[in-house]
Amino acid sequence: MPLTELMNYFNDQLQTQARTKSLPKTGFFKADNSYWGRFGNLILGSRFQAIHTFADDALIGYNSDLLVRSATGNSLNIDSIFNSLDSTDQIIHLDRLVRTLHSLNYLQQFDGRKDLLSLQVQPRHIISVVSDHGKTFEKILSDCGLGPERVLLHTRLLDNATLPHFQQALASYRQRGYKIGLHLSEAGDLDLLLKLGLTPDIIFADHPALTTLLIDAPLPSEFDPSLRVLVAKKPGIDAKTSSALDGYLFNTEDTLVLPQSAIS
């Protein structure tokens, strides 16, 4: 199915859900050869960051990043938006909307490639779903022509109380064929990972917490993932860091510009 027809198909589904569940007006549109999303007064866009190896600078895949603007064009923080939502239906709907948007744009920009696509799952979505995590989105990805074997679903852990729920959710993703990623940004995240009892395929580690998390305090072998990726720009990374990690995420500046049609 051509992507524009697929977008229209998703719009029919999303608008039906919005009406039946009293959700904000939602849907996709195409402008400037990219796909964009609407959620109420929010405008959503995709940006892709290449994931490279340190050893030979080979391309591993692409991480999807979200641009969020108000209707007037002001930049907004997606975590703040999710935290402001008090409806479980809205949290789940917005998170699936974002990942579907990234999937459409990935296929639009990298058609024919077989690279790994990294998609973030909001933690509040994970704890809002009781069971069968990934089942609905697997259908969406299948409609897009993206099999789970090409997709990395990554998230961040919240606290000790929700660890059992995350264990269940991540195990369900893996059972469906997805690769699993976790984002670490502070020492407490490492403690949660060690208690999780499930080894991710990829760890994304924020700089500058990187040294404490993955070099000076290396993970036990049973929790060591196949890839450990630094979330930072490559220039300025010291030799000790680059030799201890597998790859880096080229963290570009926020340069994606909304099309005029999106804010008019």
Side-chain angles (χ1 to χ4, degrees):
M1 182 186 299
L3 290 179
T4 301
E5 290 185 25
L6 185 60
M7 177 192 75
N8 294 332
Y9 163 73
F10 285 142
N11 278 340
D12 288 340
Q13 289 191 324
L14 291 169
Q15 288 159 11
T16 299
Q17 292 174 19
R19 287 193 299 269
T20 58
K21 296 184 178 181
S22 300
L23 298 170
K25 187 175 181 180
T26 185
F28 301 111
F29 64 98
K30 189 176 182 181
D32 296 347
N33 206 35
S34 293
Y35 291 95
W36 303 82
R38 291 188 186 275
F39 183 79
N41 293 323
L42 302 178
I43 302 166
L44 314 171
S46 299
R47 176 181 63 178
F48 294 98
Q49 305 159 311
I51 306 173
H52 290 274
T53 61
F54 272 120
D56 53 10
D57 217 33
L59 180 67
I60 299 172
Y62 291 92
N63 180 63
S64 54
D65 195 21
L66 183 67
L67 172 72
V68 188
R69 302 288 197 203
S70 66
T72 57
N74 295 324
S75 179
L76 300 173
N77 180 277
I78 189 61
D79 287 331
S80 298
I81 293 166
F82 271 102
N83 289 335
S84 70
L85 300 177
D86 53 11
S87 163
T88 297
D89 285 337
Q90 288 189 23
I91 292 169
I92 295 172
H93 188 84
L94 176 56
D95 196 41
R96 287 178 181 155
L97 176 76
V98 168
R99 283 181 282 132
T100 305
L101 174 67
H102 291 327
S103 301
L104 287 171
N105 276 315
Y106 172 80
L107 292 172
Q108 172 73 11
Q109 295 183 36
F110 306 107
D111 185 34
R113 298 189 64 98
K114 299 296 182 182
D115 303 304
L116 186 69
L117 173 61
S118 174
L119 296 167
Q120 182 177 358
V121 185
Q122 277 286 328
R124 289 196 68 191
H125 180 174
I126 290 178
I127 61 176
S128 297
V129 175
V130 177
S131 61
D132 287 332
H133 292 82
K135 182 177 181 179
T136 301
F137 195 63
E138 183 179 357
K139 171 66 166 59
I140 294 172
L141 285 177
S142 296
D143 289 337
C144 289
L146 282 170
E149 71 280 356
R150 292 178 56 193
V151 176
L152 169 80
L153 296 179
H154 70 95
T155 189
R156 64 183 186 277
L157 302 174
L158 292 178
D159 50 39
N160 285 298
T162 56
L163 272 183
H165 203 103
F166 275 88
Q167 289 169 344
Q168 179 191 30
L170 297 180
S172 179
Y173 292 151
R174 179 163 283 166
Q175 187 177 28
R176 296 184 186 282
Y178 296 108
K179 291 181 174 58
I180 303 301
L182 286 173
H183 198 120
L184 308 182
S185 59
E186 56 187 38
D189 295 337
L190 178 59
D191 293 336
L192 290 173
L193 171 60
L194 295 177
K195 295 175 183 177
L196 180 65
L198 185 147
T199 305
D201 298 288
I202 295 182
I203 282 178
F204 293 99
D206 281 333
H207 197 68
L210 175 70
T211 301
T212 301
L213 293 175
L214 295 177
I215 298 178
D216 293 343
L219 292 170
S221 58
E222 63 269 26
F223 290 103
D224 205 11
S226 56
L227 286 173
R228 295 186 289 182
V229 175
L230 169 65
V231 181
K233 291 184 178 179
K234 188 180 181 183
I237 299 172
D238 58 72
K240 180 181 179 183
T241 298
S242 62
S243 64
L245 296 176
D246 306 289
Y248 68 94
L249 177 67
F250 192 80
N251 202 7
T252 57
E253 299 298 326
D254 187 5
T255 56
L256 189 61
V257 179
L258 286 174
Q260 188 61 36
S261 60
I263 57 177
S264 59

